[in-house]
Amino acid sequence: MIGQLVGFTVNEMTRPQTDWLNHVADVKRVNYGEKAAFKVKMDGIQAFIQAKGSTPARSKVAHKQVTLDTIAVSARPVINLYELRTGRVQMADLIRDAANEMTLKQIEYIQSVLHGAVTDWSAPFYGTGAGIVKTVLNPMIQHWMRTGAVSLLGDIAIISKLAEQTGFTAATATQQYSPAVIDEVMRTGLIGTYYGAKVVSLVNPYLGDNVTPVIDTNRLYVLPSGASADMRPLKVLYEGDVQSTEATNIDDLAYEVRLDQWFGAAIVSGKTPTRSVYTDSTP
């Protein structure tokens, strides 16, 4: 019964503590044994200019469907049954620690899948530079502004560097900044807009050391607002809820719970990616 309680509670808590996935991933949840088909649109219907009465070439709606394999993230907390019954160890602490660790491991894996793929993308879908390099980042933003509104999502460490790029050169050796921008930075520490794109600060909590952020601090995501979630190249699948199995060792009265969550992640793109990533190469 305790294991079921822990499993249920951890399932409610193992949702990303950062809003990173909400912005960059297409997430599906299915029951055990089910498969989720992620559909990606390829080159499809074409139109032609031709003489009246001529027959156009055929074209068809083209999609590819990808199913993801899942892996497991697990935790196996153990405590003395006597300490649990007497309240020396709080069940709330057990649940919170298990939920935090499982979530962090999931995010770490999903990040590695995404970042392992984006470095192979070409401009304007991927770019890098020491700090914020306007000649690299601005064309990436401009590319997506043709489709509508654009957002820049990143950790405070990288988006705070955008303010340095908002000045303009009025004379040969004089760089000026808008008073409105100066006031905004002094009031909030950030700028709300850069090169026409909305700047969004990523919710990025710390790992267990209370020093290292969960999400990489040197990457800036250029997100077209008009793209629906199913167009995002990062696909994430959760299969079932958190599973729990409990046991008590009769020799030392060690009570343990094994918790497992099945999930998977992959990059699935059509002809081109539907967003861009900029990496700050400075340490």
Side-chain angles (χ1 to χ4, degrees):
M1 292 299 295
I2 297 177
Q4 294 176 356
L5 173 63
V6 173
F8 174 80
T9 308
V10 170
N11 184 68
E12 294 301 309
M13 295 180 65
T14 49
R15 300 291 184 263
Q17 298 170 327
T18 169
D19 56 355
W20 180 73
L21 273 184
N22 295 335
H23 292 285
V24 303
D26 177 15
V27 181
K28 292 184 182 297
R29 298 181 184 274
V30 298
N31 295 321
Y32 295 120
E34 294 182 353
K35 294 291 185 180
F38 293 91
K39 182 182 292 186
V40 180
K41 188 174 182 180
M42 310 298 288
D43 288 340
I45 302 297
Q46 295 179 311
F48 303 89
I49 300 295
Q50 59 189 23
K52 292 186 294 184
S54 299
T55 301
R58 286 179 173 178
S59 59
K60 63 180 181 180
V61 177
H63 293 85
K64 66 177 180 179
Q65 287 191 342
V66 176
T67 58
L68 300 188
D69 293 328
T70 54
I71 58 176
V73 58
S74 304
R76 190 178 174 183
V78 57
I79 57 176
N80 184 273
L81 191 61
Y82 175 77
E83 293 180 335
L84 179 63
R85 288 174 175 173
T86 59
R88 292 184 181 181
V89 176
Q90 296 296 321
M91 181 61 69
D93 294 336
L94 182 72
I95 294 173
R96 181 179 63 251
D97 291 346
N100 287 343
E101 288 301 313
M102 292 176 70
T103 298
L104 295 179
K105 289 298 183 182
Q106 290 175 38
I107 294 296
E108 180 182 5
Y109 176 84
I110 294 169
Q111 274 193 105
S112 68
V113 170
L114 174 60
H115 298 159
V118 298
T119 53
D120 293 330
W121 295 353
S122 58
F125 308 108
Y126 180 74
T128 185
I132 301 296
V133 179
K134 297 172 74 170
T135 54
V136 178
L137 178 60
N138 289 10
M140 298 167 70
I141 298 173
Q142 190 178 71
H143 174 83
W144 293 113
M145 288 184 71
R146 291 191 175 97
T147 68
V150 175
S151 297
L152 300 179
L153 175 72
D155 179 80
I156 183 68
I158 189 169
I159 65 174
S160 62
K161 295 182 180 182
L162 293 170
E164 302 170 6
Q165 306 299 324
T166 57
F168 60 94
T169 302
T172 304
T174 303
Q175 190 173 34
Q176 296 184 349
Y177 293 85
S178 164
V181 171
I182 295 174
D183 290 342
E184 184 178 27
V185 173
M186 292 300 294
R187 185 177 66 255
T188 66
L190 304 169
I191 57 173
T193 304
Y194 172 80
Y195 199 60
K198 181 181 179 182
V199 178
V200 181
S201 180
L202 175 69
V203 177
N204 197 6
Y206 294 109
L207 297 174
D209 60 6
N210 207 31
V211 174
T212 307
V214 174
I215 306 298
D216 287 348
T217 60
N218 63 341
R219 284 185 169 84
L220 191 64
Y221 300 91
V222 186
L223 309 175
S225 302
S228 59
D230 61 356
M231 295 177 64
R232 299 169 182 171
L234 176 59
K235 309 297 184 182
V236 176
L237 173 67
Y238 288 96
E239 183 180 350
D241 295 328
V242 174
Q243 308 169 61
S244 63
T245 304
E246 60 183 319
T248 302
N249 188 304
I250 196 171
D251 295 321
D252 60 4
L253 293 181
Y255 171 76
E256 61 178 306
V257 179
R258 173 170 173 165
L259 303 167
D260 297 278
Q261 170 74 71
W262 294 352
F263 78 106
I267 297 296
V268 183
S269 295
K271 186 176 182 180
T272 59
T274 55
R275 57 209 49 236
S276 299
V277 179
Y278 178 89
T279 299
D280 179 2
S281 60
T282 57

